[in-house]
Amino acid sequence: DQQVKQNSPSLSVQEGRISILNCDYTNSMFDYFLWYKKYPAEGPTFLISISSIKDKNEDGRFTVFLNKSAKHLSLHIVPSQPGDSAVYFCAASEGNRDDKIIFGKGTRLHILP
Amino acid sequence: DAMVIQNPRYQVTQFGKPVTLSCSQTLNHNVMYWYQQKSSQAPKLLFHYYDKDFNNEADTPDNFQSRRPNTSFCFLDIRSPGLGDAAMYLCATSTGGAYNEQFFGPGTRLTVL
């Protein structure tokens, strides 16, 4: 039973446009959400996070939006660049209770020239 | 550079032949995690250590064991690998608490013949 769902296995976006990656979760106890980025032959690397007390967090070209009532979060990348082509994992945790994070299956983002 | 190192990067073993995967870190982090990731699936937490305290996930098979002899090293032992254990095994570290990002190694890809 997946607690963190990324329903789009892949996404193609033109260079310079906005990339929007979506993530849904089922556990209402999750209070901290993270995005990780993974290149081939490398481990995932932390990208950006958001606490449940916020609805938006921005870091340069990357913005994460959280809609708690819908149990939905999204990662916006603007403008998209070729180096953004990677697999993006959404993850969530009950941060106040646990050291663990639960990952989604990932979305492969292709940035087209 | 401080990092998480996994050896070997590729491991081939035979059905039923014990295998050990290695992880080391130079970050001096308290927590070390082992994840299993199968193709197009989410990384799945097998277990983690908070210092010497071992935390096993309820659904981790008994076939998987772990050792952490010191802060820097953590090992994953698969006692009798089956074909279904072929996967990427990711090691990660953190300072503790799910609010802190995890730092991942590049992974070991295990093939079972």
Side-chain angles (χ1 to χ4, degrees):
Chain A
D1 184 28
Q2 279 184 270
Q3 298 186 67
V4 178
K5 300 178 185 179
Q6 293 178 259
N7 292 321
S8 299
S10 68
L11 175 68
S12 294
V13 174
Q14 203 110 36
E15 182 179 354
R17 299 285 185 103
I18 183 171
S19 296
I20 301 176
L21 296 97
N22 292 303
C23 178
D24 298 293
Y25 61 95
T26 57
N27 185 348
S28 57
M29 298 299 291
F30 286 148
D31 65 349
Y32 193 63
F33 305 89
L34 311 94
W35 287 92
Y36 280 78
K37 177 179 179 179
K38 184 182 183 305
Y39 292 120
E42 296 182 12
T45 55
F46 171 76
L47 188 59
I48 192 169
S49 62
I50 188 167
S51 163
S52 60
I53 62 173
K54 294 186 172 182
D55 54 18
K56 176 183 173 182
N57 189 26
E58 192 172 351
D59 183 2
R61 295 186 298 114
F62 302 91
T63 303
V64 56
F65 295 91
L66 175 62
N67 182 335
K68 282 186 293 183
S69 60
K71 295 194 179 69
H72 177 83
L73 63 155
S74 60
L75 174 67
H76 293 214
I77 306 172
V78 57
S80 300
Q81 297 176 354
D84 296 330
S85 294
V87 177
Y88 290 79
F89 290 99
C90 175
S93 77
E94 298 178 42
N96 60 344
R97 293 182 58 226
D98 216 334
D99 292 316
K100 304 188 300 192
I101 60 175
I102 308 297
F103 284 89
K105 290 185 177 183
T107 296
R108 184 176 297 278
L109 177 64
H110 301 270
I111 303 302
L112 306 171
Chain B
D1 279 347
M3 54 177 40
V4 181
I5 301 161
Q6 290 190 245
N7 285 308
R9 295 291 307 275
Y10 301 90
Q11 176 72 59
V12 180
T13 190
Q14 289 182 321
F15 183 94
K17 186 173 180 182
V19 66
T20 294
L21 309 182
S22 168
C23 178
S24 64
Q25 54 137 339
T26 61
L27 297 161
N28 205 31
H29 283 170
N30 299 99
V31 191
M32 295 187 78
Y33 305 82
W34 279 105
Y35 291 87
Q36 179 193 64
Q37 186 186 15
K38 297 186 178 180
S39 180
S40 301
Q41 298 295 311
K44 178 182 177 300
L45 183 65
L46 296 173
F47 22 60
H48 72 283
Y49 277 92
Y50 196 118
D51 293 324
K52 291 186 181 294
D53 292 334
F54 178 69
N55 299 273
N56 196 30
E57 292 303 297
D59 56 355
T60 297
D62 292 341
N63 197 25
F64 291 84
Q65 305 284 315
S66 184
R67 297 170 282 135
R68 189 178 185 186
N70 54 52
T71 301
S72 301
F73 284 87
C74 195
F75 300 97
L76 170 61
D77 300 309
I78 309 177
R79 292 193 294 189
S80 181
L83 299 178
D85 297 327
M88 176 72 81
Y89 289 88
L90 294 163
C91 175
T93 73
S94 82
T95 55
Y99 296 126
N100 296 310
E101 67 175 281
Q102 294 184 15
F103 293 79
F104 283 82
T108 295
R109 181 163 296 282
L110 178 68
T111 300
V112 181
L113 301 177

